[in-house]
Amino acid sequence: MTISTLPPERNLPISPMRYDPRFQVETKADNFDLASVFRLVRRRMIMITAVTVMLTVPAAIMIVGSKPTYQAWARLIVHQPLATSLGADTSHSDLLDAKSETERLQSRSIAERVVRELRLDVRPEFNPALRKLSLIDRIRTKLRGLFDSEKPTSPDRHNIEPVIPEYYRALGVWNEDKSDVIQISFTATDPELAAAVPNRLISIYLDERKYSSSGRLDSAQEWIRRRITEQQVRADIAREAARNYQESMDVVSREDAQEERIKSIIEVTGREGKIEESRLEVKATISTLEGSDNASVAAENIAVPDNIATKQRDLRAQEQDLARLLQTYDGNAEAVVDMRGKIQESRADLDLATKQYLQTMRAKLGALDHEAKAIQSILAEAHEKRTRDAMVQTELTRLQRIAENEQTALDKLEDQRRDLAAKAMLPGAELEVLSPASVPLTPQGRGRLFYLVGALLAAISAAVTAAFVIEMWDRTVRSFDQIAGMARMIPAGLIPSLSRWENSKTMFEHMPVPMFDEAIRSVVLSLKQSNGGKLPNSIVVTSAHSGEGKSLVARSLAIELAAAAIPVLLVDGDLRRGKLNSFFRSGLVHGLNEFLTGQADIRDIIYRHPSGIDFIPSGKFSLQRRTRSNGLAEIIEMAGAAGQIVIFDSAPVLASTDTVHLTALAERTLAVVRWGKTSRRAVEFSLQQMKSSRNSEIVVAINNVNPKGHALYNFSDSELFSKSLMKYYRFKA
């Protein structure tokens, strides 16, 4: 490997200026446009093609192998027989309903008759037992046999049970809203069969409807006859009970005496009222006479006999005369004394008469009480007799009403029997076939080409969707735009991928690979610019994980520097899995492991290659404790004293802690990230592990970049390889 222009001595003084990284990262917004979609499709074209083929081929096989289906349909209206609507007492619950008749057309009995009469059970289209098992069905059967100990029984070809579901899938019976028209359709691969099934279904429906109606009418007539017999017995019993009760209670003869009994009750009630009024008056008189001490005063407030009234007037006149005498004479006068004596005699007579009248009133009250009790007894007996007669009449009325109700029910049953006998002579339903099913001339649905195109478009859509999903889940690093947000990261450039023959020929045979060589030079220039304009004395080349191409980058850097006449010491720093010796074939027995454990001297582990590169292999892999903890620092000092640049091909950062210590000793660290493999999270974590006070900025190079694939992304560095790619392929041609 050579370069066209040799750089000046790396330690020569240079003018003081600021060295910015060669690759400036420009953060780009993730704009989603048609160009991005086009690039995504081009990037995932192989996957999209493969998924499309995987989905299209089975669908195409199914579409090509499918047979065209034909559909025929018939339209009809189901009427109730006209004669049934002529009666005035027609029950509306027995009117024909389009939805109910639709269900009858799909009944199991009609389905079985259609299957048997049209021999659908001998057609593989409707009988699964006659079909050949597909590959998927055979695999499913074998898998079921692994878990089920019982052997599956072979289906019976003469059993129509599996045919019925297939028949229902092909059959369509529906009724449109706000219309009594019923439509019947049937789908089959045979156009004649597709037309025969709806027509045969209509005729079978009429037979079934007739048999069903006649059977229902026969059973209804039998039930009505039994009900009439039972009802006749109940009506006779009710009439006999009413007649016997009327005769036993003599209800007819008692009816004549009802008016006399009522008149007697009215008279007795009036007499009772008068007695009660007399009693109240006598009680008031007795109460007045008994409640007053002065009989003359009490007699003035009530109605009294004439003798008592006369004595009251005489007493009142004597008292007036006494008053006049007292106005003329003294109270001791003889006339006054005589008058007072007369007054006392008159008052005594009045009291005696009043007491006698009181005794008379008491006797009268006793007589009235006795008479009232007699009247009440007579009235109670009259009421009792009347109540008893009313109960007898009520019971008779109830028995007569029961007899009338039983007779009414019997009459209704007789009417129903006559109505059923009339309906038995009518058909179950009347059909008006608007359009019978005819043999279809064209198959149903679209052609096979349409379905093939649809399957292809669906497969392409699914494949593109899968590509979008994969792109959304892709968290690997493909450009510096994706890791621009990581602090103290210096982009060193993109290194294109090498084919196997290029990888084996670019070691020391001077086979030029222009794109790769330019990328390595860009990395060298980035290391120089990030180090203030001169190459660093020590460089650690590492990665986050193994298999990311760090060894290729390390030895390519060594070859590039050696071609520029710069002394280089390449050290295989992967003490556990180092394989760099297989490229140099140094033949040394000892290596870095033996030097760090004190088993070899520095002179014993350095191999001088004819290309001008000094190489230290990793040596035998050993896990023993190292006695020279500062051995790596000694190598760096020795190389610096000799004017050499030390390049360490170290172990992955996330696999060994030795790399973290080595980056603290080296002047610069070059982190290699594999394009499309290393995740952003791994890059960020590995950069955090390697940062130190001396080595605060990490130079990052993206390796194994696919130029064609990278150009299809919308990154700021997507056009980096465009012209170089054209020159490279022109050079290969």
Side-chain angles (χ1 to χ4, degrees):
M1 181 182 295
T2 59
I3 60 176
S4 58
T5 304
L6 293 177
E9 176 63 29
R10 64 186 178 90
N11 293 322
L12 291 178
I14 58 178
S15 59
M17 60 182 295
R18 179 181 177 183
Y19 289 90
D20 293 328
R22 185 183 178 194
F23 293 91
Q24 296 293 332
V25 178
E26 178 184 357
T27 304
K28 232 178 179 184
D30 294 334
N31 295 327
F32 186 81
D33 52 7
L34 293 178
S36 301
V37 176
F38 180 72
R39 292 190 185 97
L40 186 147
V41 173
R42 289 186 61 189
R43 290 196 301 269
R44 300 290 179 177
M45 182 57 69
I46 297 177
M47 188 206 76
I48 292 174
T49 304
V51 174
T52 302
V53 171
M54 290 176 60
L55 296 177
T56 306
V57 169
I61 294 174
M62 295 177 63
I63 293 172
V64 173
S66 62
K67 296 181 180 180
T69 58
Y70 297 85
Q71 187 180 49
W73 59 88
R75 300 172 68 246
L76 64 141
I77 299 178
V78 182
H79 294 288
Q80 186 181 11
L82 182 60
T84 59
S85 61
L86 298 178
D89 297 333
T90 302
S91 175
H92 294 281
S93 61
D94 197 33
L95 293 176
L96 295 182
D97 181 49
K99 293 184 178 180
S100 301
E101 300 309 311
T102 300
E103 296 298 327
R104 284 194 177 96
L105 285 167
Q106 301 180 74
S107 63
R108 175 61 182 258
S109 60
I110 295 179
E112 291 180 355
R113 287 189 59 182
V114 172
V115 169
R116 288 193 175 93
E117 293 181 9
L118 296 180
R119 297 179 60 80
L120 298 182
D121 54 337
V122 299
R123 295 176 178 265
E125 180 183 359
F126 299 99
N127 193 348
L130 302 178
R131 301 174 190 167
K132 293 181 180 179
L133 291 177
S134 62
L135 178 61
I136 297 176
D137 293 334
R138 288 197 296 269
I139 294 174
R140 188 185 298 116
T141 303
K142 290 182 179 180
L143 292 176
R144 189 182 295 113
L146 296 176
F147 300 97
D148 193 359
S149 59
E150 297 181 0
K151 294 183 179 180
T153 58
S154 58
D156 186 6
R157 297 189 175 187
H158 302 288
N159 187 11
I160 67 170
E161 289 299 326
V163 182
I164 298 298
E166 299 293 334
Y167 163 79
Y168 279 123
R169 290 192 188 96
L171 179 67
V173 182
W174 68 95
N175 166 245
E176 297 180 355
D177 293 338
K178 300 180 181 180
S179 174
D180 294 332
V181 178
I182 298 175
Q183 300 189 27
I184 304 173
S185 67
F186 193 79
T187 305
T189 56
D190 185 1
E192 295 182 357
L193 178 64
V197 170
N199 295 330
R200 187 57 185 163
L201 177 63
I202 293 173
S203 61
I204 293 175
Y205 163 74
L206 285 175
D207 294 341
E208 291 286 333
R209 195 75 169 83
K210 179 180 179 181
Y211 296 149
S212 175
S213 298
S214 62
R216 290 173 56 214
L217 289 172
D218 292 341
S219 60
Q221 286 179 350
E222 181 63 26
W223 179 79
I224 284 292
R225 283 194 291 270
R226 290 198 300 268
R227 286 290 309 277
I228 288 174
T229 303
E230 296 173 358
Q231 189 63 33
Q232 184 66 50
V233 174
R234 284 197 292 269
D236 294 341
I237 293 174
R239 284 195 297 269
E240 186 67 23
R243 186 168 53 252
N244 294 336
Y245 184 80
Q246 185 176 7
E247 293 176 357
S248 62
M249 300 303 294
D250 194 14
V251 178
V252 178
S253 61
R254 290 177 182 272
E255 288 178 356
D256 300 336
Q258 287 295 329
E259 294 182 2
E260 296 295 333
R261 187 173 292 113
I262 292 173
K263 291 179 180 180
S264 175
I265 291 174
I266 293 173
E267 292 177 357
V268 174
T269 304
R271 185 179 176 187
E272 182 184 15
K274 292 179 180 180
I275 293 174
E276 185 64 25
E277 291 178 1
S278 300
R279 289 180 68 253
L280 292 176
E281 292 177 359
V282 172
K283 282 184 178 181
T285 301
I286 294 172
S287 175
T288 302
L289 294 175
E290 289 180 349
S292 177
D293 295 336
N294 192 348
S296 61
V297 176
E300 292 178 357
N301 298 326
I302 60 175
V304 294
D306 294 338
N307 58 344
I308 296 178
T310 301
K311 290 181 179 181
Q312 286 179 345
R313 287 193 298 271
D314 293 341
L315 179 60
R316 196 175 300 111
Q318 291 176 359
E319 289 178 349
Q320 292 176 358
D321 293 337
L322 178 62
R324 285 194 298 269
L325 289 175
L326 288 175
Q327 292 177 359
T328 306
Y329 301 101
D330 188 15
N332 295 323
E334 182 179 359
V336 173
V337 173
D338 291 338
M339 186 57 66
R340 286 178 177 171
K342 291 179 181 180
I343 290 172
Q344 289 179 356
E345 290 177 0
S346 297
R347 186 174 289 140
D349 292 339
L350 179 60
D351 290 339
L352 180 61
T354 301
K355 290 180 182 180
Q356 290 177 355
Y357 181 67
L358 178 61
Q359 293 296 330
T360 303
M361 288 292 105
R362 287 175 179 171
K364 185 178 180 180
L365 179 61
L368 289 174
D369 290 339
H370 180 72
E371 186 177 0
K373 290 181 180 179
I375 292 298
Q376 289 177 357
S377 176
I378 294 171
L379 189 61
E381 184 178 357
H383 280 297
E384 183 179 358
K385 289 180 180 180
R386 185 184 178 189
T387 303
R388 186 166 57 253
D389 292 343
M391 292 176 61
V392 171
Q393 187 65 34
T394 302
E395 180 65 19
L396 178 61
T397 303
R398 186 184 67 82
L399 293 176
Q400 290 175 349
R401 189 179 297 111
I402 291 174
E404 292 175 358
N405 293 337
E406 296 294 340
Q407 185 62 38
T408 302
L410 180 61
D411 295 339
K412 289 182 179 180
L413 291 175
E414 287 290 344
D415 293 339
Q416 292 178 358
R417 183 185 63 81
R418 288 191 294 270
D419 186 45
L420 288 175
K423 288 182 178 179
M425 296 183 292
L426 297 175
E430 293 180 356
L431 285 181
E432 180 183 354
V433 180
L434 302 178
S435 58
S438 59
V439 178
L441 302 179
T442 57
Q444 183 188 14
R446 307 283 184 174
R448 294 179 180 176
L449 179 60
F450 176 82
Y451 291 111
L452 285 173
V453 173
L456 179 61
L457 294 178
I460 293 174
S461 302
V464 173
T465 303
F468 271 94
V469 172
I470 292 175
E471 286 287 336
M472 291 174 60
W473 283 97
D474 187 8
R475 294 294 183 267
T476 58
V477 177
R478 296 181 185 272
S479 172
F480 287 109
D481 293 349
Q482 298 173 311
I483 57 176
M486 299 180 185
R488 298 181 180 180
M489 184 274 300
I490 301 176
L494 305 177
I495 303 174
S497 60
L498 295 175
S499 61
R500 290 186 178 181
W501 69 270
E502 290 173 340
N503 193 5
S504 60
K505 295 293 184 180
T506 56
M507 189 62 198
F508 303 111
E509 296 182 9
H510 305 287
M511 295 295 294
V513 183
M515 292 178 60
F516 186 81
D517 295 344
E518 289 296 331
I520 295 299
R521 294 190 187 102
S522 298
V523 174
V524 173
L525 184 58
S526 297
L527 288 171
K528 186 175 181 179
Q529 290 178 344
S530 65
N531 197 42
K534 64 177 182 179
L535 290 173
N537 294 327
S538 55
I539 304 171
V540 176
V541 181
T542 184
S543 61
H545 302 288
S546 59
E548 298 184 0
K550 60 178 181 57
S551 298
L552 173 63
V553 174
R555 72 173 186 263
S556 299
L557 287 175
I559 294 172
E560 183 65 31
L561 293 177
I566 298 176
V568 180
L569 174 61
L570 180 60
V571 181
D572 191 353
D574 193 350
L575 302 178
R576 293 183 177 85
R577 301 178 62 183
K579 297 180 181 179
L580 202 57
N581 191 31
S582 61
F583 292 94
F584 286 90
R585 298 182 179 88
S586 63
L588 295 178
V589 179
H590 302 293
L592 185 60
N593 265 314
E594 286 77 9
F595 173 71
L596 295 178
T597 56
Q599 299 178 9
D601 188 64
I602 187 66
R603 295 185 299 272
D604 299 333
I605 63 174
I606 298 178
Y607 170 70
R608 301 187 183 276
H609 194 268
S611 62
I613 300 175
D614 290 346
F615 171 66
I616 298 178
S618 60
K620 296 180 180 179
F621 303 147
S622 174
L623 299 178
Q624 298 179 2
R625 189 175 183 84
R626 297 164 191 165
T627 57
R628 292 186 180 181
S629 58
N630 58 347
L632 297 175
E634 293 178 4
I635 294 176
I636 295 174
E637 292 177 0
M638 181 198 69
Q644 292 179 320
I645 296 178
V646 183
I647 299 177
F648 289 95
D649 179 16
S650 67
V653 179
L654 303 181
S656 174
T657 57
D658 295 336
T659 302
V660 178
H661 299 297
L662 183 58
T663 55
L665 298 174
E667 191 170 351
R668 281 293 167 190
T669 300
L670 175 61
V672 179
V673 177
R674 184 165 181 174
W675 185 85
K677 181 180 178 181
T678 309
S679 64
R680 304 171 203 171
R681 186 176 180 182
V683 173
E684 183 177 8
F685 186 69
S686 60
L687 292 180
Q688 291 177 356
Q689 294 292 320
M690 291 186 293
K691 288 177 181 177
S692 62
S693 60
R694 181 180 180 184
N695 197 5
S696 59
E697 293 182 340
I698 308 298
V699 182
V700 179
I702 300 178
N703 182 37
N704 201 32
V705 179
N706 183 359
K708 288 185 177 181
H710 187 71
L712 298 177
Y713 285 91
N714 194 25
F715 299 128
S716 60
D717 52 5
S718 297
E719 301 294 331
L720 182 63
F721 294 107
S722 58
K723 295 182 179 179
S724 300
L725 187 63
M726 295 175 61
K727 293 179 181 179
Y728 174 64
Y729 282 105
R730 197 174 299 165
F731 170 78
K732 289 181 66 177

